[in-house]
Amino acid sequence: MRVLIISDIHANLAALEAVLAQAEAHDAVWCLGDLVGYGPDPNECVERIQMLPRLVCLAGNHDKAVLGEIPAEAFNDEAQAAILWTRAVLKPASLEYLRSLPARVDLEAFTLAHASPRQPVWEYILNRQTACENFRHFDTPYCLVGHTHIPIIFAEGSPCGERTPDYNSPTALSTTRLIINPGGVGQPRDQNPQPAYALLDHEARVWHYKRAAYDPRVTQRKMLDLSFPERLILRLAHGW
Ligand code: ZN
């Protein structure tokens, strides 16, 4: 089974469509959460996601904030403005779908968590120290996380290892336990504005990092028309 791995769509339909159009053939999709927040197309993204084959989808912190399960005040001003706007425009069916999503699931060799296995909704795994502590909080060989919007692989050990993505060749998943982040689709933060995703060959245990080509101006124009905070609009062109 070939699995398309995506995360942090953040209501950016142009980025999501670019990934879906350019992704190599796959049989299933695993989405690590944050379908909405930040971007201008929340209903469209929630509806599009549900059409994907053999979908496993998590809820992220922005999804939970839109549902009122996390206070909007817990976010910075710009994120909060987008959350409040999203709450106002989401259709009942979209809200119902978001409400149905778990924040963590185990699928055979893989644990999926939006943020971290220790705190599935909120913790950022940005360094080896935090990654190292998190290996105690799941039992499977591999854990897939999103939330930071930065593609990276952490390996269990003392000290824990860290590997940046290789876009040119697939990575064979080691017998060493790993925490893997595919990067973000709708608001990348690794200084590369192109939507990040990955392809997983489930049986062969091979992971391949990818970037899709897309024009962020399509999404930026919609955000401008909706008077979104300027910083949220600008960052899409730069990947921060
Ligand atoms: Zn996110």
Side-chain angles (χ1 to χ4, degrees), residues 61-94:
N61 53 315
H62 286 256
D63 303 321
K64 293 205 169 281
V66 164
L67 293 169
E69 295 175 18
I70 295 177
E73 297 73 39
F75 292 77
N76 67 46
D77 289 352
E78 287 114 6
Q80 196 179 128
I83 286 163
L84 297 179
W85 175 83
T86 305
R87 271 186 198 164
V89 301
L90 265 191
K91 298 176 187 171
S94 300

Side-chain angles (χ1 to χ4, degrees), residues 30-108:
W30 296 351
C31 173
L32 307 178
D34 272 0
L35 304 187
V36 302
Y38 292 129
D41 312 302
N43 285 304
E44 293 81 353
C45 287
V46 171
E47 283 159 15
R48 186 72 182 91
I49 280 283
Q50 293 176 73
M51 293 158 61
L52 300 178
R54 295 178 67 183
L55 173 71
V56 176
C57 188
L58 303 181
N61 53 315
H62 286 256
D63 303 321
K64 293 205 169 281
V66 164
L67 293 169
E69 295 175 18
I70 295 177
E73 297 73 39
F75 292 77
N76 67 46
D77 289 352
E78 287 114 6
Q80 196 179 128
I83 286 163
L84 297 179
W85 175 83
T86 305
R87 271 186 198 164
V89 301
L90 265 191
K91 298 176 187 171
S94 300
L95 286 166
E96 192 183 323
Y97 180 69
L98 293 180
R99 205 170 285 123
S100 75
L101 301 176
R104 173 179 164 160
V105 291
D106 281 7
L107 296 170
E108 297 175 39

Side-chain angles (χ1 to χ4, degrees), residues 113-175:
H114 173 66
S116 79
R118 178 166 59 184
Q119 294 176 28
V121 175
W122 203 253
E123 182 179 33
Y124 290 88
I125 303 184
L126 284 163
N127 54 50
R128 285 188 289 181
Q129 169 71 32
T130 312
C132 221
E133 293 165 13
N134 265 282
F135 281 105
R136 290 196 297 275
H137 295 268
F138 65 102
D139 301 320
T140 56
Y142 311 109
C143 180
L144 307 185
V145 297
H147 194 45
T148 65
H149 308 190
I150 295 173
I152 193 160
I153 298 177
F154 294 102
E156 190 176 35
S158 47
C160 282
E162 177 181 325
R163 207 182 312 157
T164 50
D166 180 350
Y167 296 103
N168 298 316
S169 50
T171 304
L173 300 183
S174 55
T175 49

Side-chain angles (χ1 to χ4, degrees), residues 179-209:
I179 295 174
I180 311 174
N181 192 318
V185 169
Q187 191 203 71
R189 293 182 190 161
D190 60 339
Q191 315 302 319
N192 177 349
Q194 305 295 39
Y197 66 99
L199 258 300
L200 168 69
D201 186 322
H202 190 259
E203 285 72 34
R205 301 276 164 90
V206 173
W207 177 272
H208 202 169
Y209 274 113

